[in-house]
Amino acid sequence: MISRYVFQRNRSPTGTAFLTGHLAGAVNYDRIAGYFDSSLFEMAGEALEDLSGKIRILCNSDINPADVAMAEQAQKLSFFKHDPEQLAHRSGDRIARLIRMLASKKLEVRVLPDAVFGLVHGKAGVISYGDGRRTSFMGSANETYSGWNLNYELVWEDDSPEACDWVQSEFNRLWEHSLARPLADAVIKEVQRLSDRTEIDINAWKKASVESEAASTAVESPVYRKEFGLWPHQKHFIQEAWAAHKAYGARFVLADQVGLGKTVQLGMAAQLMSLYDDKPVLALLPKTLMQQWQTELWDLLEIPSARWDGRQWIDEQGLEYPPTSRNPLMDCPRRIGMVSQGLVVKGSAPIQALLEVDWSCIIVDEAHRARRAKLPKEAERGPRINNPETETNRLYAFLYKLAPKTRSLLMGTATPVQLHPIEAWDLLRLLSEGNDHVLGYPGSSWRHPENSLPFILGEEAPPDDPASLWSWLRNPFPSEREAPIFARLRKTLGMESGQAVAPYSWTDLSATQQVSGKLAALTLFDRHHPFLRCIVRRTREYLEKAINPQTGRPYLLPIQVILHGETEPVLLDGYSRQAYEAAEEFCKMLAKRVKSAGFFKTLLLRRIGSSLHAGRSTVNRMLDDWDSIDESEEDESSDDDEQESSSSTGNENTGLKNLTPMERHKLEECARALETGLKAGPESDPKWARIEEYLVQKNWAVEGCILFSQYLDTARWVAERIKDSFQDQPVGLYAGSGKSGIYARGNFLRKDREEIKLMVKTGELKLMVGTDAASEGLNLQMLGTLINVDLPWNPTRLEQRKGRIQRIGQSRSAINILNLRYAPSVEDKVHEALSTRLEEIRKMFGQIPDVLSDVWVKVALGEIDQAKQRLGEVKAPHAFDERYSRVEEVSGWDECTQVLNRAEKIEALRRGWKD
């Protein structure tokens, strides 16, 4: 029998009647449905629950076929994009019914990629009965309430054996397909969470005592709904900082490697603290990171904030707040305000007002920039900083005054030790101001690095007599969260949670307490001393190898980095080589005459090392008006927050206003050679042939590629060449403010950087050229390859570039990176003479410390031996990260059912500093 149905509102028969009537007495129900999303709630009716057999639903999804290997995460993203508040309110008791059916295994769901199957256009089902009867149907109706009850839908029913066999065979073919995946556990857990979900106000949340309440602000944030959630190492830090803040104030250096999400961790912790205390939060950031921070806080965490641009405040929506008071810096319109470290470095007078505020939390990113003026020799373990006003740079001296004004102080840096272990102690010294839980009361042995560093670095054996060990242990005494033995000993000593120092000397302890004290002290120098307690450092290598016991898989998907071009530099010959050699001679002439300003002495070499086009524009500017050159304009990644003590390559141009006749002659020689060489070459620059080879012949364009240059003119040149070679694809240019856009159909269209990021995320844009404005704060996990058109002399930037694609959320098991450099060039000479040593340093530190940027300057000026000596000063960094070569499990986050009211939370964070 064949039946035809039209379903439309106010028209009979209704969809409910059709489905209910046909499922009455049914045993099994197999259904090729439409999209896998919130419709799961709507299809779980009583008629389905009453079936005695199995229900199998085959859905499609916007999962990319390439992501099937990560089906758990892909399904989670597909399902979690729906507003949880709306799902919970709209679905009612259908959620509970769905949970029962999934738990009993009566309902089984599998998901297929829509890009391959397009199942939304093919919907059919087979219903089987206990007496052997079957019926099949197909049509336009989705397995949703709207599909069966509200929309205009057409359904064709046929109970003939031939029709039932045909629909069943098609269902079986798809059900058993190699790309079909079971409904992810993450989705099932989320359905369970939504069934028990309740909203609580901020006052009730403040009174909650369980630590999982930290998840109340996170579990429905965009990072959970639209991204990949928070990973175990991130949850652990947030929870540790949150618990410490409530107890006695959080004081941590977050030293995770690049790409492990420091901004999200610090931002989430700051949000919790601000809501809990109802006090403001200050983020002191490098200028280049401020917009990235603001964007990530809002896009990933839905945290409103404001940043100071030097004249006015700008909120998360881009709304500007013109000055209305004598010191507008203090008129921040948000609870969380971001201020450039450059104001401190420049000694700006308004910045002093920050010292008068009672802060909930202060965040300092790139905290290694706060440094002592002069490091001791490697063999020396001290001295300690006695006078921060004179012995440190301006940023450190200011933080020393600021630290006592806040309950919590969180610092972020991938390199807590740049060259000398004393640098880690210096950061702890800052953390300790206003908080004795870090280094103890004055008089503590930990406050004297010359005494403590030899023990924790394994250079000397720690004391073994009980009285001496107790003096190290008691001041400061580890918190009860460190280990059960410390919690028990604290209790017997009558110590409160916020008490930093044990009140008794060794001789005052009872015999029982002395036994416990000996046991506790045995682990102090291995796992529980202040450096390990306060410096939280996790490496990608560990997280990619360690197995998460809850999932049986590594904490992070291992991502191999395959390097290209290491043994194949781009050859300069003919006029191009003459131009480079003339530039080298010019730089050496300048170096003999001017003893400072390394950046300017080597500016031309750095620019030619980027591209011959960049070199030509720079030499012409030098000849036209040398005094007009500003390094902050030349380098797209430059940051006016660079510290006065960070390296010898400052950007002063003292003594460079007038070129000598010989210097000008050499520049003119360089200019002529560059002009002739560029006109003679069919591709204008030999680097382009290598770029085109990888994009076209090696299919990197298909994988998606980001190309980096530190200079805007090089980036534009590369983008325009790619545009000409890939006329059917858009090409993005991601640069400084107001300079970004898209090349499409032969035209350049200016685009906001946020629009470009969205195009990459959705797969619309697979070819992008970026200056180092894109090397920080840009998430490009959708791309699989990277080309460094030039190699910046600040080595940290190479790590930052790599971190754009080697980061959480990258689905590929390997990424490819091509490093381009000319031969001969400074970069090539550094590679030949120092690459082995630099690689050793990179492995020790996780990256090359940025204070080594002066090594490139020394090589440029012919000082190879001095460069080697500089690298020789770098020793094995520290043992501070041993404790964190593991991940503490944090439970309860994904299942958190009590959530903060979203509107109330945002309203609270949108209050200003003075409110």
Side-chain angles (χ1 to χ4, degrees), residues 49 72 108 126 152 160 192 233 246 357 411 441 526 562 582 587 609 667 711 722 729 739 761 819 877 901 904:
E49 194 170 17
E72 179 89 9
E108 188 175 353
V126 178
Y152 180 88
S160 67
Q192 175 69 66
H233 72 280
K246 291 192 293 183
V357 179
M411 297 183 171
Y441 286 163
D526 292 331
I562 303 173
C587 290
L667 271 183
Y711 298 114
I722 296 176
Q729 293 189 47
K739 304 170 185 174
K761 184 175 180 179
N819 292 326
N901 179 276
E904 184 184 4

Side-chain angles (χ1 to χ4, degrees), residues 724-882:
D724 294 338
S725 297
F726 295 87
Q727 298 183 11
D728 59 337
Q729 293 189 47
V731 178
L733 176 64
Y734 192 99
S737 179
K739 304 170 185 174
S740 301
I742 298 292
Y743 292 91
R745 295 180 294 277
N747 299 313
F748 180 72
L749 307 174
R750 292 204 177 277
K751 291 278 188 180
D752 183 86
R753 289 188 289 188
E754 296 306 310
E755 294 181 75
I756 296 176
K757 288 195 286 188
L758 182 61
M759 291 177 68
V760 174
K761 184 175 180 179
T762 59
E764 184 180 354
L765 182 63
K766 300 191 73 174
L767 289 171
M768 188 166 81
V769 183
T771 66
D772 278 317
S775 69
E776 298 174 298
L778 189 61
N779 302 327
L780 301 175
Q781 300 96 319
M782 298 295 293
L783 308 180
T785 65
L786 184 154
I787 297 176
N788 286 309
V789 180
D790 52 38
L791 303 179
W793 293 9
N794 183 336
T796 298
R797 289 188 183 137
L798 277 179
E799 293 297 322
Q800 291 168 338
R801 291 177 180 183
K802 182 180 69 172
R804 298 314 97 207
I805 61 175
Q806 189 194 24
R807 63 189 302 108
I808 293 172
Q810 174 61 261
S811 62
R812 299 167 181 83
S813 60
I815 58 173
N816 289 277
I817 297 178
L818 170 63
N819 292 326
L820 296 179
R821 67 183 189 279
Y822 292 123
S825 67
V826 173
E827 296 80 13
D828 191 46
K829 292 174 182 177
V830 168
H831 188 273
E832 286 186 5
L834 307 174
S835 61
T836 300
R837 178 58 179 145
L838 286 168
E839 180 61 18
E840 292 173 355
I841 293 173
R842 191 197 66 78
K843 289 180 179 179
M844 287 193 300
F845 286 84
Q847 64 185 64
I848 300 174
D850 57 18
V851 296
L852 292 181
S853 58
D854 57 355
V855 166
W856 276 255
V857 176
K858 293 182 183 299
V859 172
L861 301 179
E863 301 170 357
I864 299 289
D865 291 340
Q866 291 92 324
K868 290 181 178 180
Q869 180 180 351
R870 175 69 162 156
L871 293 182
E873 296 171 358
V874 182
K875 305 299 181 182
H878 52 73
F880 308 152
D881 60 350
E882 291 181 1

Side-chain angles (χ1 to χ4, degrees), residues 476-756:
F477 197 88
S479 78
E480 57 271 22
R481 296 177 54 79
E482 278 293 301
I485 190 169
F486 299 119
R488 291 192 297 269
L489 192 50
R490 274 181 164 271
K491 187 174 182 179
T492 65
L493 295 172
M495 296 179 65
E496 297 179 358
S497 177
Q499 193 170 346
V501 179
Y504 305 111
S505 66
W506 179 253
T507 56
D508 294 330
L509 300 179
S510 67
T512 301
Q513 289 171 336
Q514 286 188 352
V515 171
S516 298
K518 289 178 183 178
L519 292 175
L522 288 176
T523 61
L524 176 65
F525 288 97
D526 292 331
R527 301 199 65 79
H528 298 292
H529 59 73
F531 289 84
L532 296 181
R533 294 202 296 266
C534 298
I535 300 176
V536 181
R537 176 171 170 80
R538 282 79 57 95
T539 65
R540 170 171 284 279
E541 181 182 12
Y542 170 74
L543 294 172
E544 289 180 346
K545 291 180 179 179
I547 301 298
N548 185 339
Q550 295 181 350
T551 64
R553 297 189 296 272
Y555 287 100
L556 291 183
L557 179 72
I559 303 174
Q560 180 186 4
V561 177
I562 303 173
L563 292 178
H564 302 259
E566 294 301 286
T567 59
E568 301 172 349
V570 178
L571 296 178
L572 289 176
D573 54 17
Y575 289 107
S576 298
R577 187 177 186 120
Q578 290 178 23
Y580 197 91
E581 291 174 349
E584 283 187 308
E585 291 181 36
F586 166 78
C587 290
K588 291 177 182 177
M589 288 180 184
L590 202 61
K592 291 178 181 179
R593 183 169 64 88
V594 180
K595 299 303 181 184
S596 61
F599 274 161
F600 274 82
K601 287 186 292 188
T602 58
L603 174 61
L604 184 55
L605 288 181
R606 291 184 291 114
R607 296 276 291 173
I608 295 181
S610 173
S611 69
L612 300 183
H613 287 74
R616 177 174 59 180
S617 66
T618 300
V619 73
N620 288 337
R621 287 184 64 189
M622 286 178 167
L623 289 169
D624 181 51
D625 184 6
W626 171 275
D627 195 36
S628 70
I629 296 175
D630 181 355
E631 174 64 18
S632 65
E633 296 176 2
E634 289 290 308
D635 185 350
E636 268 284 302
S637 63
S638 69
D639 181 2
D640 65 2
D641 298 348
E642 290 293 336
Q643 303 307 304
E644 66 271 21
S645 64
S646 61
S647 77
S648 63
T649 53
N651 66 350
E652 306 91 350
N653 62 352
T654 304
L656 302 182
K657 292 185 178 181
N658 300 308
L659 297 176
T660 66
M662 285 298 295
E663 290 166 353
R664 176 167 289 275
H665 172 74
K666 194 55 66 174
L667 271 183
E668 291 172 344
E669 180 183 331
C670 178
R672 287 192 299 270
L674 278 172
E675 195 67 37
T676 306
L678 287 174
K679 286 181 179 178
E683 300 297 339
S684 296
D685 194 312
K687 279 189 179 180
W688 169 248
R690 189 71 59 85
I691 293 171
E692 190 174 38
E693 173 191 351
Y694 276 80
L695 290 180
V696 178
Q697 298 176 21
K698 298 185 183 297
N699 292 319
W700 282 24
V702 176
E703 278 288 299
C705 186
I706 170 70
L707 299 93
F708 274 110
S709 171
Q710 60 191 317
Y711 298 114
L712 180 59
D713 45 7
T714 297
R716 281 179 175 159
W717 164 69
V718 172
E720 289 170 358
R721 294 310 309 264
I722 296 176
K723 175 258 298 181
D724 294 338
S725 297
F726 295 87
Q727 298 183 11
D728 59 337
Q729 293 189 47
V731 178
L733 176 64
Y734 192 99
S737 179
K739 304 170 185 174
S740 301
I742 298 292
Y743 292 91
R745 295 180 294 277
N747 299 313
F748 180 72
L749 307 174
R750 292 204 177 277
K751 291 278 188 180
D752 183 86
R753 289 188 289 188
E754 296 306 310
E755 294 181 75
I756 296 176

Side-chain angles (χ1 to χ4, degrees), residues 306-318:
R307 57 185 168 88
W308 177 254
D309 73 350
R311 303 182 310 275
Q312 61 189 355
W313 287 99
I314 303 173
D315 71 16
E316 71 284 349
Q317 304 291 351

